[in-house]
Structures are given as structure tokens and as C-alpha cells.
Amino acid sequence: MILRLSILLVTLCIVSLTIGAQQLVWIDVLNGSKDAWLTLTASRLPRLIALILTGIGLAISGVILQHIVRNKFVEPATSGGLDAAKLGLLISLTMLPGASTSSKMLFAMLFCLAASLLFIFIINRIEFKNTVLIPVLGLMYGSVLSSIAEFYAYKNNMLQSMQGWLLGDFSKVVQEHYELIYIILPVIILAYLYAHRFTVLGMGEEMASSLGLGYASTAAIGLILVAVTVAATVITVGSIPFVGLVIPNLVALKYGEKLSRTLPIVALGGACLLILCDILGRLIIYPFEVPIGLTAGGIGGVMFLILILRGIK
């Protein structure tokens, strides 16, 4: 499966590099044309790298959250993490308008982390008869955070611009304006190193403790990895829902729950899905683009509904 996904990823990458308002002729690239190389290195490659890292990061974030919460319908978009990161970013823009990008990311990360901890606290205080109710609660929780963020933006005359730059969109990704996304690389490495521990974490606190795992510290590491990924994604390209929900579930259905074995498949699947959504968004009204937040939300939302109707346990 890894080989097939790798071939699919390479194919999608080639297609992604080819599509765009500015025609890219490969023979010109091979002949060393300055215009062709400028298009390739300043726009197409940065966009492709950002797509791959964002897709991998969001898919891995989803699977980590699902093991921490022990619910397959949870991901940053259904646990309030994305909306909290948006709120944190807005507050950093108004309170510290001259702050660096890393400072803004720190705000977004802290808000995402706090929102995730509060979400876990809430669901641990409620007895659910149906596990589907947990993401429903998460969507309501995220809606409250989103409403607060929009009211905050409205009070500070930022509502219109906020809706533009917080909707997932890779069209603005160009050289020297996306490098923050590389912070997802160490997150991916750490997630793989901790894969076995996250698998044990998903067995529950009692089982994990009996196997000698530090439950609280491992859960905290997982939440920090998720918060860093979500914050970097929101600042660089905006919010993109459902990638972290759909891919881990599809992989778990076929290959099980052992993360040390399935994490590479989850990562490749996340990258492929996001590039596919981006290609569709660039072709629907070519030469203009539909933001990837809309295509990923549409495709992911339909797959989310199918997973709920199938009653994944």
C-alpha cells in the first residue's frame, strides 16, 4: 500500500506542478528558461511542499487526537482546535500588531492547546451513550469559539479580511512566505518516534499505566504536537477541515490501529488527499481557483457523513 500511495503521490505532484494560470512548459524548464524556472521555484514548488507538509501534519494530528480522546470522530476541526487557533491569531494581531510570525504562531498554539485541554476536560465530565455525540459536542464547542473569534474581529474591524485569510487557500503560498510550515517536519519525526506510545495511549489510562506508560506526559506531548501543527497551518494557509478525520479512519478500517505500522500510510494518504483537493479547486473554474478550504470541507464533509452512517466504532 505504501508503494501504491507513493506512486499516486508522485503522480499528483507532477499534475500539481503543471496546473496553474501561468503555463509551465517542461521543455522550457529543461532548456533553462528563466521565466519557467522562476514559476517553478517561486510558486509551484513552494505550494507543493506546503500542500504535502500540511496534509501529512493534519492527518497525523487527527490520528494522535483520536488516540488521546479514544474517539474516531475527533480531529482539530471537530474538537475546537482550528477555531481556537484562529482566535489566538486574531488576538495576537490586535494586541501585538508588530509581533513576528513566530510570536503569532505561539499565540495560536497556546489557544489551540488550551482549547484541546478544555475539550478533553468537558468530554471526561460527560457520560456518552453514543460515541458520535463527542464530535457533535466538539462541533458545537468549535462554533462557540468561532463565534467569539468573529465577534472579536467585528469589534476590531477585521471581519472581512479575517474571512479572506483564514479560509484555507494555497494560492498565496510563494517563496519566502511559507517557510514556517517546515516546523511540521520535526512534528512528523516526533510523531513517528512516539507512535508505539500513542498506540498504547489509545488503550485507555488504566491499561497504559499498567504497561508502564506515563499517561499524562504522553498525552501532553501529543497535544503539543497537534497544537504546533494546527498553529503553523492556520498562520500559513488558513483552516482546512476533515483531513485529520477521514484519512486515519480509512486507514484504520483496512490496516488496524497499530500506529508504528500505519502512520506512514496515514501521512501519505493525508498528502494525497490535500493535493487532490487542491487540484480540483484549481480546475473547477480554471484559470481562477476555489480555496482548498471549500473543496476539502466538501469532500471531507461527505466522507465524514458516510463514516457516521456506517457507524464506525
Side-chain angles (χ1 to χ4, degrees), residues 214-236:
Y215 185 84
S217 59
T218 308
I221 290 170
L223 290 176
I224 291 171
L225 295 180
V226 171
V228 169
T229 303
V230 171
T233 302
V234 168
I235 288 178
T236 307

Side-chain angles (χ1 to χ4, degrees), residues 1-6 8 63 67 72 199 246-270 310 312:
M1 187 63 185
I2 291 178
L3 178 61
R4 278 182 287 176
L5 277 176
S6 299
L8 176 62
V63 81
H67 277 74
K72 289 192 170 300
T199 303
V246 171
I247 296 299
N249 274 296
L250 293 177
V251 173
L253 275 174
K254 191 165 185 180
Y255 298 101
E257 304 283 349
K258 193 175 180 181
L259 281 186
S260 56
R261 187 166 63 92
T262 61
L263 207 58
I265 304 174
V266 170
L268 286 169
R310 290 186 61 177
I312 289 181

